[in-house]
Amino acid sequence: MECLRASEVKRPISENDRNVRRIPMWKYIAKRLAMVLVVISGVTLVSFFAMYLAPGDPAELIALERYGQDLDASQIESVREAEGLDAPVYFQYFIWLDHLLHLDLGRSIITSDEVLEEILLKLPATIELTVAGLLISLLIALPIGILSALQKNTLLDNCCAFFSLIGISIPNFWLGILLIWLFSLTLHIFPSYGHGSLNHLALPALTLGISMSSVTARLTRASLMEVMEKEYILAARARGFDEYTILLRHALKNALLPVVTFAGMQLGYLLGGAVIVETIFSWPGIGKLLVDSIFARDFSMVQGCVLFIAVLFSLSSLAVDILYAVLDPRIRYDMYD
């Protein structure tokens, strides 16, 4: 006998239901893409003017890198004119936007390398660390969340809650230092920095994964506990299914939907939020490139990194929304009349 599906459970039609109509998926995607463009436009404004308002004369900083400490005013002015820094700020912003539309993020002030090429060169290392961190996060969080939900209000549940609290409370930089002290300096198992092997990947991925697993575990617990009280789960029990079958066949599929959404959001966060971890472990990714560029006052590189991270985050959020709709047909993308 088949169990009732959540989509088959009828609910009363409210007044709000009569005032809404379902829109096609392509319209929803177009709407979300428009929102992504608005967000990216806002990021360009903030990143450009924030760097412009930073202390120091950009022309003088560029001249220092090119000509050394023995500068004169004519060299600074020549740099200002060559880089277009003598134009009004809003004009510089529109020129920068025009270059962005042609996928031209400019050149590094320090190295004169293409910003986009430099970012793409660092991207594989960031993706490698992000995917490893996300996998470790799920491998830790899902068993803990499921066990905690099935054994709620027991000693095991309290231990899982304590682990989650510890994971949430410890900042990434502190956890990274602790792992270096334990596994590198004391046990001599993993190297404390570098890139190129699984041993180098272990500690930074663990740092990211442990911190992220805490929230995912609590979310999995709450979602599974809610699903286990649904009518179709009660109907499955009444029909004689054992708890193992109910969990695997009916409960997990629905309980993991919000977890998938959160994991997708984590992916976007990790792509741009691994800045501290990459810096601690000298991981050659976009995060470390961003930090190094900030300390070197490499304005064009910082703007390029921030914009690239914002685009990655926005696109990953869009992908999660689409995936969520595919996994759960009950999702209703409605609009009010």
Side-chain angles (χ1 to χ4, degrees), residues 2 52 66 87-88 95-96 122 124 173 212 226 246 255 292 305 307 310:
E2 293 183 1
Y52 199 89
R66 291 183 180 176
I95 291 176
W96 186 58
K122 305 291 184 182
F173 71 89
M212 287 296 172
E226 181 181 354
I246 292 173
D292 292 342
C305 289
L307 183 63

Side-chain angles (χ1 to χ4, degrees), residues 81-250:
E81 184 178 356
E83 299 295 333
L85 297 174
D86 54 345
V89 178
Y90 67 90
F91 191 70
Q92 294 179 41
Y93 174 69
F94 286 119
I95 291 176
W96 186 58
L97 282 184
D98 181 59
H99 289 170
L100 289 183
L101 293 177
H102 295 86
L103 298 180
D104 179 11
L105 299 183
R107 289 182 175 275
S108 166
I109 294 174
I110 306 300
T111 64
S112 298
D113 293 333
E114 290 280 350
V115 171
L116 184 57
E117 289 183 1
E118 193 70 18
I119 292 174
L120 293 178
L121 189 66
K122 305 291 184 182
L123 182 60
T126 295
I127 292 177
E128 181 185 355
L129 177 59
T130 299
V131 172
L134 186 62
L135 288 177
I136 289 176
S137 165
L138 294 176
L139 287 175
I140 296 174
L142 293 183
I144 289 179
I146 293 171
L147 285 175
S148 187
L150 297 179
Q151 303 290 329
K152 61 180 180 180
N153 301 326
T154 62
L155 178 62
L156 179 62
D157 185 24
N158 291 330
C159 291
C160 293
F162 179 74
F163 169 80
S164 300
L165 182 62
I166 293 295
I168 294 173
S169 304
I170 297 180
N172 273 349
F173 71 89
W174 182 242
L175 180 60
I177 292 173
L178 285 178
L179 292 177
I180 289 175
W181 171 78
L182 178 61
F183 291 104
S184 182
L185 300 181
T186 304
L187 301 176
H188 304 286
I189 298 176
F190 300 116
S192 60
Y193 65 92
H195 173 254
S197 68
L198 287 177
N199 284 339
H200 290 100
L201 179 63
L203 292 186
L206 270 176
T207 305
L208 281 179
I210 290 175
S211 61
M212 287 296 172
S213 65
S214 305
V215 180
T216 308
R218 301 310 293 170
L219 179 63
T220 304
R221 176 185 183 274
S223 179
L224 185 58
M225 287 175 59
E226 181 181 354
V227 168
M228 293 298 282
E229 295 177 356
K230 295 289 186 182
E231 293 179 358
Y232 58 90
I233 297 295
L234 298 178
R237 285 176 176 149
R239 291 167 182 169
F241 287 107
D242 59 82
E243 289 295 320
Y244 183 76
T245 303
I246 292 173
L247 175 67
L248 293 183
R249 187 177 297 178
H250 304 290

